[in-house]
Amino acid sequence: MQKKNSHTSTLFHYTNKQSVILSILKEGIKFGFCKEILSDKHCVGIPMISFCDIPIGNSAEHSHKYGRYAIGLSKEYILNNYSEGIGPVNYYTSEHFIDAAFKLLEEEKAYRDVLEKMSEGKKKDSSMTINGMYYEGFPLSKSEIPFALNAFLKSDNYHRAATRAIGLMKRYQSEYKGKMQVNYDECEWRMVIPEYADIAENKKCRWFWTEEEYDRWRKTSPNKFLDNMTLSFTPSDINYLIVPTNKQIPSIIKALSHLKEVCGNPISTEERSQLYSRVISFEQIKSDF
């Protein structure tokens, strides 16, 4: 007898409005900052898109919390095209794990301090290209170059390793609306934008490393999403379009009939038919799955 898998071949992104689903279809899924309280010492604002791979027949609690509209994308498609930026969340029970990740950031800062000391009193007019990336820097003597290069590479590697780990870490359990919840039950996957990644011309992505910094941004930013940063897909990559009840199926079908593009690309008659076939309701799911 074949063993039933407890996870799906689909990654679901939940929301609470049909208009958001239609916006996702037109533009792709946008990246937004999420505040993660990782420990009593560490709170980080991370740019991400969240998914889960809970079987839809078991998703009543999840949809109640995050919205009863959802788009389900092929997990195979996302892993084949975005494997470097996505993964299942690592749920930790001991803060020693998160402390180890932040220790890497301390090591990174130590190497950055070495570079800053070497640059003291020097004019910033030098540049180099490493692994296809362009960097500006300071002119160095022949004897300084090996030390500077070693410090730069170690700093960069430590930062990448630390942020990669932190971006996919979450407490096993935490408080949600005044009650303790087991986060592990959410089966979360994340697509994370690395810190310092290019997000626009002459603009790099920055994370928020304190709760105060994140909250200040939330109060002053008119848009909680990152401009020009979206997860794109085609109609054939969509496995499900879920609405709350059967009565809402005609409404989304009508909206799909007027849809002119998916993720900025014109939609064909065949692709529109594909979208129609992906529509299902949580009411049906509760009854039949």
Side-chain angles (χ1 to χ4, degrees):
M1 180 176 178
Q2 186 177 5
K3 184 179 180 182
K4 185 177 180 180
N5 199 323
S6 60
H7 300 283
T8 64
S9 60
T10 299
L11 290 177
F12 294 96
H13 180 74
Y14 286 77
T15 184
N16 55 12
K17 293 180 181 179
Q18 178 175 298
S19 60
V20 176
I21 290 293
L22 295 174
S23 177
I24 287 172
L25 289 171
K26 293 175 185 176
E27 304 173 17
I29 307 179
K30 297 180 179 180
F31 286 84
F33 281 95
C34 179
K35 179 167 70 173
E36 283 295 329
I37 299 175
L38 299 169
S39 70
D40 294 338
K41 298 180 292 183
H42 302 300
C43 178
V44 185
I46 305 170
M48 68 172 76
I49 297 171
S50 290
F51 302 91
C52 80
D53 62 356
I54 300 172
I56 53 178
N58 300 329
S59 63
E61 181 180 354
H62 196 86
S63 61
H64 178 74
K65 284 195 293 186
Y66 296 109
R68 299 188 68 214
Y69 289 87
I71 181 170
L73 298 178
S74 162
K75 185 185 287 184
E76 181 181 11
Y77 163 75
I78 292 180
L79 287 175
N80 286 343
N81 290 275
Y82 300 98
S83 60
E84 289 299 315
I86 192 168
V89 166
N90 299 310
Y91 296 94
Y92 59 91
T93 56
S94 170
E95 293 184 2
H96 291 305
F97 295 105
I98 199 67
D99 288 342
F102 275 87
K103 181 67 175 176
L104 288 177
L105 290 181
E106 293 177 12
E107 293 292 325
E108 177 226 353
K109 185 179 183 304
Y111 282 107
R112 271 195 287 116
D113 290 343
V114 169
L115 291 171
E116 289 176 6
K117 286 183 179 180
M118 293 182 71
S119 67
E120 288 177 1
K122 296 181 178 181
K123 187 179 178 181
K124 189 174 182 179
D125 61 1
S126 182
S127 64
M128 67 175 69
T129 299
I130 300 177
N131 294 331
M133 297 290 290
Y134 176 81
Y135 300 94
E136 291 187 348
F138 302 89
L140 300 171
S141 68
K142 192 173 182 179
S143 61
E144 290 176 317
I145 290 175
F147 296 101
L149 184 59
N150 179 63
F152 170 79
L153 291 175
K154 285 193 173 181
S155 172
D156 187 59
N157 289 339
Y158 281 135
H159 187 84
R160 288 174 184 270
T163 53
R164 171 72 173 168
I166 292 168
L168 293 177
M169 295 180 84
K170 192 179 185 76
R171 283 172 160 174
Y172 173 78
Q173 62 182 0
S174 63
E175 188 175 300
Y176 178 77
K177 294 185 176 181
K179 296 181 179 180
M180 292 301 294
Q181 71 169 16
V182 178
N183 298 318
Y184 177 73
D185 291 341
E186 296 188 344
C187 303
E188 184 181 0
W189 284 61
R190 289 178 182 169
M191 184 175 290
V192 176
I193 299 180
E195 188 171 37
Y196 304 138
D198 293 323
I199 56 176
E201 187 175 355
N202 299 320
K203 185 178 180 181
K204 293 187 179 296
C205 179
R206 295 299 303 269
W207 291 19
F208 301 111
W209 291 99
T210 66
E211 188 168 13
E212 293 75 19
E213 185 182 17
Y214 174 86
D215 290 342
R216 185 165 55 250
W217 170 80
R218 288 285 296 184
K219 290 178 181 178
T220 58
S221 175
N223 180 9
K224 67 177 182 178
F225 297 106
L226 275 72
D227 294 333
N228 304 317
M229 299 300 294
T230 59
L231 166 62
S232 296
F233 47 85
T234 68
S236 62
D237 302 315
I238 300 171
N239 290 346
Y240 297 94
L241 290 170
I242 309 178
V243 298
T245 68
N246 291 340
K247 288 183 178 180
Q248 287 156 309
I249 291 178
S251 173
I252 196 167
I253 292 291
K254 182 178 180 180
L256 293 175
S257 72
H258 296 294
L259 194 68
K260 291 182 171 58
E261 55 186 27
V262 171
C263 294
N265 296 311
I267 182 173
S268 67
T269 302
E270 181 181 350
E271 288 173 327
R272 194 185 308 279
S273 297
Q274 284 182 331
L275 293 182
Y276 293 155
S277 71
R278 302 300 190 257
V279 177
I280 192 171
S281 73
F282 276 111
E283 185 179 356
Q284 286 176 292
I285 292 165
K286 183 178 179 181
S287 174
D288 298 334
F289 290 86

